[in-house]
Amino acid sequence: MTDWVYPAGTAAEGPWAVSLGAHDSATVVPGWTHTGLKVAELGAGATVELPAAGEERIVVPLTGALVATVDGVRYELAGRDSVFDGPSDVLYTGTGTALTLTAADGGRVAIALAPAQRSYPARLVTAAETPVELRGAGNCSRQVHNFGTPMALEADRFIVCEVITPSGNWSSYPPHKHDEEKDGETSLEEIYYFETRASPGPSAPPSTDPVGYARVYASDDRPIDVAAEVRTGDVVLVPYGWHGPAMAAPGYDLYYLNVMAGPGRVRDWLISDDPHHGWVRSTWDAQEIDPRLPFTTGQSPRGVDPRATIRGDTRGGAVGVPPSNQSNRTAPTSDPGTTPR
């Protein structure tokens, strides 16, 4: 039976703490063809390289600053201290380009990727330029960084974003799917890369074990049943099926990086809710967004205004929700392109 959960270290290869779905990944996942992820821990002054290949990539600093070189052109990525400090500079490298990454002071970096045919220009998306959304309400509130979604980035195949879920909250909820090409739905593989931390506040004991939970289950006769504890460095693959919630346990904040792509003609994220649970969305209209959001380092990311945040969408994940699946209330945003459809 195919493994869909890869705890930290189980998909490591050479300098990569995670190497899944890339053109050179040694860990082969049967049937997995549209998305990939690499994660590296870099010591001070360390460098990692990826040769040119038929895949497009986004460089996402998880901790620390980076210098990236794409086909000889140098880019400086400011980075951040933690994935819970709001968005980071990210770099889209295009398709068929060689990539070198160096961390002068050390850090951790993720590279989201997808096999691609068309090439678009390399683009540095700074933290200040990143569209940020606060989605849902109440204990379904979450923060989404939409740097690699169709309305924010010109790319060939993939859709990439980050989600922060405060302790005790649920995201990727109501459960939904995107596993067939039909009106109102696109077929997309999805990667979840997780990080966790003890929430700020009273000091957690040294023995603390920051943990979250992830759920995936069958939407048709294709078998899948995932109910996993997740911690920093863990990966869950969603080939098909209903998925959600992603749960931040009380006392622990949850982060995940989403990478989606599929075989369809259109690069879009269109979903169907699990009909048993989709009604929950309508309850958000009477609730406020969790006041702990947004998580930032004190700056005001693009699209975030405490007086004007976005409701709607099924979860922290990506833009592209059909109108029939939206919450009834959508407040203004400084970046209309990030509003869920």
Side-chain angles (χ1 to χ4, degrees):
M1 187 173 180
T2 303
D3 288 330
W4 304 119
V5 180
Y6 290 84
T10 59
E13 179 185 350
W16 303 102
V18 176
S19 181
L20 289 167
H23 74 283
D24 60 351
S25 294
T27 300
V28 177
V29 182
W32 197 262
T33 57
H34 301 292
T35 55
L37 177 71
K38 286 180 177 279
V39 178
E41 295 272 359
L42 300 177
T47 295
V48 290
E49 298 181 347
L50 281 175
E55 56 193 27
E56 58 184 351
R57 300 162 178 156
I58 294 182
V59 178
V60 182
L62 301 172
T63 63
L66 294 170
V67 172
T69 303
V70 179
D71 280 352
V73 179
R74 175 187 170 97
Y75 300 87
E76 294 186 2
L77 283 68
R80 54 195 166 184
D81 291 335
S82 161
V83 294
F84 298 99
D85 287 338
S88 168
D89 295 354
V90 302
L91 178 66
Y92 175 73
T93 70
T95 303
T97 57
L99 173 65
T100 301
L101 299 174
T102 302
D105 299 319
R108 185 164 59 254
V109 61
I111 302 172
L113 57 93
Q117 299 294 323
R118 290 177 292 179
S119 185
Y120 292 87
R123 180 185 169 195
L124 177 66
V125 181
T126 67
E129 294 172 323
T130 297
V132 176
E133 297 184 24
L134 305 185
R135 298 185 181 176
N139 63 357
C140 289
S141 301
R142 58 274 203 180
Q143 175 174 328
V144 188
H145 303 157
N146 282 315
F147 53 78
T149 59
M151 289 295 183
L153 180 72
E154 192 174 32
D156 185 18
R157 302 306 305 169
F158 59 19
I159 298 170
V160 186
C161 62
E162 300 177 312
V163 182
I164 299 172
T165 309
S167 64
N169 286 10
W170 287 21
S171 56
S172 279
Y173 195 78
H176 58 281
K177 73 181 184 75
H178 38 75
D179 60 9
E180 56 183 321
E181 290 288 326
K182 65 178 184 179
D183 288 346
E185 186 173 339
T186 45
S187 178
L188 301 167
E189 293 178 348
E190 184 165 12
I191 297 173
Y192 282 69
Y193 166 80
F194 292 95
E195 298 207 1
T196 55
R197 73 166 183 184
S199 303
S203 297
S207 60
T208 190
D209 179 23
V211 64
Y213 298 88
R215 180 76 171 116
V216 187
Y217 56 101
S219 60
D220 53 29
D221 59 358
R222 292 172 291 182
I224 189 167
D225 186 4
V226 173
E229 291 187 356
V230 292
R231 297 172 174 81
T232 295
D234 292 352
V235 175
V236 173
L237 303 181
V238 183
Y240 45 77
W242 306 113
H243 46 289
M247 295 172 280
Y252 305 115
D253 298 324
L254 180 69
Y255 162 96
Y256 50 89
L257 175 67
N258 277 147
V259 188
M260 292 177 278
R265 181 176 55 86
V266 177
R267 177 180 170 241
D268 208 350
W269 184 74
L270 302 176
I271 59 97
S272 297
D273 281 336
D274 183 331
H276 294 95
H277 306 295
W279 67 272
V280 171
R281 189 188 316 282
S282 65
T283 68
W284 299 342
D285 293 341
Q287 301 179 64
E288 296 300 319
I289 292 174
D290 192 319
R292 292 174 292 178
L293 296 174
F295 284 20
T296 72
T297 54
Q299 61 190 12
S300 181
R302 184 183 184 196
V304 170
D305 180 338
R307 300 160 300 174
T309 51
I310 291 177
R311 293 184 188 275
D313 191 14
T314 56
R315 48 128 194 181
V319 297
V321 181
S324 61
N325 283 352
Q326 291 185 35
S327 168
N328 294 326
R329 292 174 57 188
T330 300
T333 174
S334 62
D335 188 343
T338 66
T339 304
R341 295 188 294 282

